[in-house]
Amino acid sequence: QVQLVESGGGLVQAGDSLRLSCAASGLTFSSYAMAWFRQGPGKEREFVASISRRGGDPHYADSVKGRFTISRDNAKNTVYLQMNSLKPEDAAVYYCATTLYTSGSRYYGDYLHWGQGTQVTVSS
C-alpha cells in the first residue's frame, strides 16, 4: 500500500522559512517524479513545484520561483520543499504527490498518489 506522509507545516510569520518533508513508502520511490501542490481556503488545488525521478529538472510555479526549492533524497524515499520568505498568500494545505511523467507535471490529474497534506499558516 502506497503511503505519502507530509510533515513540517506550522504557523509562521511573514518572512520566515519552513521545510516540508514527504516520506513515501510502499512504492519504488525513484521510479516516480514528485511534486508539491497546495490548496488554500476556497481555492483550487494548485501546482507548486516538481522534481524528476533522479532529482534534477525542477519546475516551479511563478508565484514561488526564487523563494521555494524542491529536492529529494531517493535513499530516504523523501521529497522536500524548502520555503523561504513566506507570504500570507502562501498559506494553504500542502500536498505531495507522485507521477510517472518523467519531469513531473503542473496538472494535478497526472498524479497517482497523494499524501494527506500538511497545513501552513503565515501571519502578516
Side-chain angles (χ1 to χ4, degrees):
Q1 181 181 357
V2 175
Q3 279 195 314
L4 302 176
V5 180
E6 300 97 335
S7 61
L11 170 63
V12 296
Q13 293 186 332
D16 285 350
S17 298
L18 276 177
R19 188 193 196 203
L20 305 184
S21 299
C22 169
S25 61
L27 77 171
T28 303
F29 184 68
S30 59
S31 295
Y32 295 87
M34 299 294 296
W36 288 94
F37 285 74
R38 66 187 182 187
Q39 187 166 16
K43 298 181 179 180
E44 293 187 352
R45 191 167 299 191
E46 64 172 350
F47 171 82
V48 175
S50 66
I51 191 167
S52 68
R53 290 175 291 182
R54 295 191 176 188
D57 197 24
H59 294 273
Y60 298 95
D62 288 343
S63 59
V64 307
K65 200 172 294 183
R67 299 187 298 122
F68 290 12
T69 302
I70 188 171
S71 62
R72 66 189 292 164
D73 185 339
N74 285 351
K76 295 182 178 179
N77 286 3
T78 301
V79 62
Y80 305 97
L81 185 68
Q82 178 67 43
M83 305 187 295
N84 298 329
S85 303
L86 282 161
K87 304 176 181 180
E89 51 264 41
D90 294 320
V93 177
Y94 283 72
Y95 300 89
C96 64
T98 72
T99 180
L100 291 174
Y101 282 78
T102 303
S103 297
S105 166
R106 294 174 183 262
Y107 175 51
Y108 69 88
D110 290 334
Y111 288 79
L112 300 173
H113 310 107
W114 292 84
Q116 83 291 346
T118 185
Q119 178 73 51
V120 173
T121 305
V122 184
S123 63
S124 57

